[in-house]
Amino acid sequence: MEAPKQEQGEPARLPTIKDVAGLAGVATSTVSRALSNPDRVNRRTRERIEEVAARLNYVPSSQARGLSSGRTNAVAVLVPDITNPFYFDIIRGTQHQLKAAGFTQLLVDTEESSEMELDALHKMRRSADGFILAASRLTDAELAEVSGTQPLVTINRASAIAPSVVIDTPSAIIQALEHLASLGHQRVCYVSGPPTSWSNHMRWKVFEEESAHRGMDAHRIGPFVPKTTSGAAAADAAVRTGATACIVFNDLLAIGMLQRLRERGIRVPEDISIVGSDDIFGADFCNPPLTTIASPIEQAGRVAVSMLLSQLNPTPGRSSRQLAVMPTHLTIRASTGPAPAQA
Amino acid sequence: MEAPKQEQGEPARLPTIKDVAGLAGVATSTVSRALSNPDRVNRRTRERIEEVAARLNYVPSSQARGLSSGRTNAVAVLVPDITNPFYFDIIRGTQHQLKAAGFTQLLVDTEESSEMELDALHKMRRSADGFILAASRLTDAELAEVSGTQPLVTINRASAIAPSVVIDTPSAIIQALEHLASLGHQRVCYVSGPPTSWSNHMRWKVFEEESAHRGMDAHRIGPFVPKTTSGAAAADAAVRTGATACIVFNDLLAIGMLQRLRERGIRVPEDISIVGSDDIFGADFCNPPLTTIASPIEQAGRVAVSMLLSQLNPTPGRSSRQLAVMPTHLTIRASTGPAPAQA
DNA sequence: CAACTTTTGGCAAACGCTTGCCACTGATGT
DNA sequence: ACATCAGTGGCAAGCGTTTGCCAAAAGTTG
C-alpha cells in the first residue's frame, strides 16, 4: 500500500489574532476583546473585526487562550469503566451539556482504581477547569483533599464535601421491595457490586432496613465485579441462598445472571425474580426483559455539568446548588413475577 | 442546601518549571530537556531535577507546552452518534491506545451531520494534533480537502485520499449470504442504513453482486435511521418483501426489528431469519440472540490510533500504512435458521 | 467653553514552556 | 601542544492569547 504521500507545499500557517488585527487595522488587544468581550468595544469596530476574522477563517488558539487567561474551557469527566453502558449514558449527558456551554470534554477511564482517579485529577489539574467524578472510588478524605483544590462535582457519590448529584436510591429500593412484597416474595437477596462504591453501600443499607421493616428475610451476596461475566457466579450464589427474588447492584450483573439462570434451566421469573438497576441499553430487550430501577442517568450527567459550571463562574446572588437528587422509578418488565409456591 | 463554601486561603499557585529550576539550581531550559528529552542532559543532573520535580509535585502545563512546541498531545475522535454502542467500542479502542501513548482524547459527537463534522475539524485544528473520523459523513471532496490540511485517519470509510481502517465488508456479506444459502434461503433482503454511510453503500453493492452470483432473489429496503426505534418500520417493510432472510445494516436496527417481529407474532428464525452487523453489546443477549457479522471494532479504534500516531511522527524508514482491513466473521446465534417451507 | 466622565482602543507585560544557538568543559586525535 | 569534537547547560526569543493600565476621543454637564 504505497499510496503517494501528498505533501503540502505551503505550510499554511494558521491565521493568528495578529493577522486579524493587521487586516482590521486595530491592535491585537482590540481583536481579543471584540471576540471575547464584545461590549468592551465599539459596535462598528467589532463588526469589522468579525468580518475580517470570518474571512480569514480565524480560530483562536485554545492553548494560548488558556495560558494567558488561566481558563481552559475544558472539563474532565472521570468514569470508573468506560466499558459500562451506565457510564455511556452519563458521558452522553455531560458531552451534550458541555458542548452547549462551549466546553470540551476530556474523557478519562479510571479503571475502577482510586489511584488512577487521583492521578488523573492531579495530572489534569492544569488542563481542565473542573472535574466530574462519576461513581468516584475515592475515600472521603481523598475526596475532601481534592475538592479543596479544584472545582468538581460527583455523580452517585454523596458527601457533605463536594457538590453532587445522586440517584434517589432509598426510594428506588423501597419501590422495588414493595413490588416484590406485593408479588409474595419473602426471602430476598441483594447482589452487591464493588465494595468501594458508595451507591452499592447505600443500596444495601436501605435494602436491609426496609426488608427488616417489612419482615422480609434479607440476604446479601457478593461483592461482584459489575460486569455480565460475573453474572454466573452471582446467579449461582443467589440460587444458593434460597431467595425467590434478587435486587441486583446493576443491570450488567443482572443480565449476566439472567444468562446463567437460563443455562441452568432456572426459569425467570417463575423460579426466581430479578430486579436490576439503572435501566441501561439492553435492559429492555434481554431475555426476559429486565425489571429495573430506572433513573434519568443522562440527565444526571447534564445536571452535574450545570452544577460544575455554576461553580466555575458563580453568580454573586445565589450560591450554587450542592446536591441534586434524581428521581427513580421502577420499570417493571418480565423478569419479576409472583413468588413460587412454597417448596 | 446552603453548604458552607469552603474557600481556599492560599491560592496555592501550582509549581512551574521555574520553581523546579530554582530548587535544582539549573536553568529552566535544562529542566525542560531533562523532562522531555532525557538524553540531552547529564544523568546526574536529570536525576536531581526529577527528584525536585517529584517533590514539588510538578506537572507541566500542556497548554504552555502546546503553545511553544506546536504539538498538543491530543487527538480528536469524531463519531456520528455517541449514542450508538458501535461507536462506544471504537471509542474504547481509541481511548485505550491514546492513553497508552500519552495522548488525550477529545471526543466529539457530530450528530450524523457532515456540517458539524467539518466544523469540528476546523475549530479543533489547533487543539488536536490529529483526527480520527469514525464513519465519516464527508464527501470525497471534503475529505480530500481536510486531509490535505491535517493528519487524520478514517474508520469505516475507505478512500485513496486518507489512511483508513475498514471492516472487511465483502467477505462478511459473502459469509452471511453463504450461511443463508446453506439454510435454503432464496429470497433475501438488505435493510439499509444511512445513505451517506460508505459502509452501507459497500454492503449493498456486495450483497447485490453476490446474491446475483448465487442466483438469489435480492431485495433492498430503506434507508433507515440506524437505531432500534427504526426497527419497526424496517421489520414491516422487510416482511412485505416476502424475503425469508434479511441482512441488516447494523445490530441496532436488527434488534429493533426483532422486537417488532415478536410483537407481530412473526417468529424468528422460523418465519424469517435476521443477520445483523457489528456484534455490539447486547447482540448476544437479545431475544433471540442475534446472528451477526462480527468484527474487532475496538481493535479498529486501536489500529486507527496507531496509524495516526505513526503519521504524526513518521519513521524515516518505512512509510506509514495507508489501509488496514479488519477481518470479520459471522457469529451464528439463534436469529437465523432454515428457510420456511414454501407457502 | 471648561471641566468632567465615559467609551474606546493601544501598549506591553505576563502566562509556562520549548528550542535554536552559543559557550564552556573535557576528552580525543594528530 | 594544538585543533577538534561530543557532551552539557544557559540565554533568550518566541508561541498566541488576555488584561491591567493608560491615553485619546467622544459625550455630558453647568
Side-chain angles (χ1 to χ4, degrees):
Chain A
M1 258 302 135
E2 291 289 63
K5 283 202 173 178
Q6 57 173 63
E7 291 293 7
Q8 288 301 102
E10 13 118 19
R13 197 179 57 78
L14 296 174
T16 75
I17 203 175
K18 235 172 186 164
D19 302 317
V20 179
L23 259 75
V26 296
T28 62
S29 50
T30 309
V31 176
S32 171
R33 283 192 275 256
L35 263 29
S36 51
N37 201 349
D39 297 330
R40 186 58 221 293
V41 86
N42 186 296
R43 212 186 97 198
R44 300 263 303 281
T45 323
R46 169 160 50 84
E47 279 168 357
R48 184 154 38 92
I49 291 175
E50 278 166 350
E51 192 268 321
V52 174
R55 183 149 48 81
L56 288 188
N57 240 309
Y58 168 72
V59 178
S61 149
S62 51
Q63 313 254 29
R65 208 191 270 255
L67 188 53
S68 63
S69 70
R71 278 168 277 101
T72 62
N73 261 259
V75 165
V77 177
L78 274 49
V79 300
D81 176 13
I82 207 183
T83 267
N84 185 331
F86 173 73
Y87 299 113
F88 280 169
D89 284 323
I90 291 188
I91 293 169
R92 230 177 263 164
T94 53
Q95 162 84 26
H96 182 264
Q97 198 75 352
L98 283 171
K99 182 185 213 165
F103 274 69
T104 300
Q105 162 165 278
L106 307 173
L107 184 58
V108 180
D109 183 349
T110 60
E111 297 173 18
E112 307 268 6
S113 134
S114 64
E115 284 76 30
M116 292 209 56
E117 203 173 329
L118 277 174
D119 190 57
L121 240 13
H122 182 238
K123 293 264 176 66
M124 306 185 77
R125 65 190 201 274
R126 268 238 176 63
S127 21
D129 291 339
F131 292 80
I132 291 185
L133 272 43
S136 175
R137 269 27 173 169
L138 262 35
T139 64
D140 275 0
E142 291 169 330
L143 188 58
E145 188 182 335
V146 174
S147 172
T149 314
Q150 47 214 304
L152 58 82
V153 3
T154 60
I155 296 181
N156 249 11
R157 168 67 139 86
S159 69
I161 302 159
S164 44
V165 6
V166 298
I167 306 298
D168 184 4
T169 309
S171 150
I173 295 289
I174 292 171
Q175 284 175 62
L177 282 173
E178 164 104 42
H179 170 60
L180 294 177
S182 71
L183 288 170
H185 293 275
Q186 168 59 28
R187 195 180 183 87
V188 292
C189 174
Y190 177 70
V191 180
S192 48
T196 47
S197 159
W198 177 84
S199 63
N200 180 60
H201 186 70
M202 279 301 286
R203 283 176 203 177
W204 165 245
K205 217 177 102 200
V206 177
F207 183 94
E208 192 173 24
E209 280 172 13
E210 181 68 12
S211 53
H213 185 256
R214 290 177 180 274
M216 294 167 104
D217 186 8
H219 293 251
R220 176 190 194 173
I221 58 174
F224 296 101
V225 177
K227 305 195 172 182
T228 51
T229 47
S230 307
D236 293 345
V239 167
R240 200 149 192 300
T241 64
T244 61
C246 297
I247 295 184
V248 186
F249 172 67
N250 75 5
D251 285 351
L252 234 34
L253 198 49
I255 288 172
M257 291 176 70
L258 251 30
Q259 289 180 293
R260 173 62 165 192
L261 293 170
R262 162 173 299 264
E263 275 171 36
R264 289 188 48 183
I266 298 168
R267 295 162 307 160
V268 176
E270 290 79 0
D271 299 325
I272 191 169
S273 287
I274 302 286
V275 178
S277 182
D278 299 343
D279 197 15
I280 60 170
F281 172 83
D284 56 334
F285 62 72
C286 57
N287 186 10
L290 192 62
T291 292
T292 190
I293 294 168
S295 48
I297 311 177
E298 187 173 337
Q299 194 188 331
R302 288 209 292 270
V303 171
V305 169
S306 302
M307 289 171 66
L308 183 61
L309 294 186
S310 79
Q311 195 184 150
L312 289 183
N313 28 15
T315 323
R318 69 206 154 69
S319 76
S320 53
R321 204 150 56 128
Q322 293 296 304
L323 182 68
V325 178
M326 309 308 289
T328 54
H329 70 270
L330 194 64
T331 295
I332 296 175
R333 299 208 181 90
S335 68
T336 48
Q342 298 297 76
Chain B
M1 260 302 134
E2 291 291 63
K5 284 202 174 180
Q6 58 175 64
E7 291 295 8
Q8 288 301 101
E10 13 115 19
R13 195 179 58 76
L14 297 174
T16 74
I17 202 174
K18 235 172 184 163
D19 302 318
V20 178
L23 260 75
V26 295
T28 61
S29 49
T30 306
V31 176
S32 172
R33 284 193 274 256
L35 264 30
S36 50
N37 200 348
D39 297 330
R40 186 56 222 292
V41 84
N42 187 296
R43 212 185 99 197
R44 298 266 302 281
T45 323
R46 170 159 51 83
E47 279 168 357
R48 182 154 38 93
I49 291 175
E50 278 166 351
E51 192 268 321
V52 173
R55 181 149 48 83
L56 289 188
N57 238 311
Y58 168 72
V59 177
S61 149
S62 51
Q63 314 254 27
R65 208 189 269 252
L67 188 53
S68 60
S69 71
R71 277 168 277 103
T72 62
N73 262 257
V75 165
V77 177
L78 276 49
V79 300
D81 176 14
I82 207 181
T83 266
N84 184 330
F86 173 72
Y87 299 114
F88 280 166
D89 285 322
I90 291 188
I91 293 170
R92 227 177 267 165
T94 54
Q95 162 84 29
H96 182 265
Q97 198 74 352
L98 284 172
K99 182 185 214 165
F103 274 68
T104 300
Q105 163 166 277
L106 308 172
L107 184 58
V108 181
D109 184 349
T110 60
E111 298 174 18
E112 306 269 3
S113 134
S114 64
E115 284 75 31
M116 292 209 58
E117 204 174 327
L118 278 174
D119 191 58
L121 240 12
H122 183 237
K123 293 263 177 64
M124 306 184 77
R125 65 187 200 274
R126 267 239 178 59
S127 20
D129 291 339
F131 292 80
I132 290 184
L133 274 42
S136 174
R137 270 25 175 170
L138 261 34
T139 64
D140 275 0
E142 290 168 331
L143 188 56
E145 188 183 333
V146 174
S147 171
T149 315
Q150 47 213 300
L152 58 81
V153 3
T154 60
I155 296 180
N156 250 10
R157 167 69 139 85
S159 69
I161 303 158
S164 43
V165 7
V166 299
I167 305 298
D168 184 3
T169 310
S171 148
I173 296 287
I174 292 171
Q175 284 175 62
L177 282 173
E178 164 104 40
H179 171 59
L180 293 177
S182 72
L183 288 169
H185 293 275
Q186 169 60 29
R187 196 180 183 88
V188 292
C189 175
Y190 178 71
V191 181
S192 48
T196 47
S197 158
W198 176 83
S199 63
N200 181 59
H201 185 70
M202 278 303 284
R203 283 174 203 180
W204 165 244
K205 217 177 101 199
V206 177
F207 183 94
E208 193 175 24
E209 279 171 13
E210 181 68 12
S211 53
H213 185 255
R214 292 176 178 273
M216 295 167 103
D217 187 8
H219 293 250
R220 176 191 193 171
I221 58 174
F224 297 101
V225 177
K227 304 193 173 184
T228 52
T229 47
S230 307
D236 293 346
V239 167
R240 203 152 188 297
T241 63
T244 60
C246 297
I247 295 183
V248 186
F249 171 68
N250 74 7
D251 286 351
L252 234 36
L253 196 50
I255 288 172
M257 290 176 70
L258 251 30
Q259 289 178 294
R260 173 62 165 193
L261 293 169
R262 162 173 298 266
E263 276 169 36
R264 288 187 50 183
I266 299 170
R267 294 164 307 160
V268 177
E270 290 80 0
D271 299 324
I272 190 169
S273 288
I274 302 286
V275 178
S277 182
D278 298 344
D279 197 15
I280 61 170
F281 172 83
D284 57 333
F285 61 73
C286 57
N287 187 11
L290 192 62
T291 292
T292 190
I293 295 169
S295 48
I297 312 177
E298 187 173 337
Q299 195 189 332
R302 287 209 291 269
V303 171
V305 169
S306 302
M307 288 172 66
L308 183 61
L309 295 186
S310 78
Q311 195 182 154
L312 289 182
N313 28 16
T315 322
R318 70 207 153 71
S319 73
S320 52
R321 206 150 53 131
Q322 293 296 304
L323 181 68
V325 178
M326 309 307 290
T328 54
H329 68 272
L330 193 65
T331 295
I332 296 176
R333 299 207 182 92
S335 69
T336 47
Q342 298 296 76

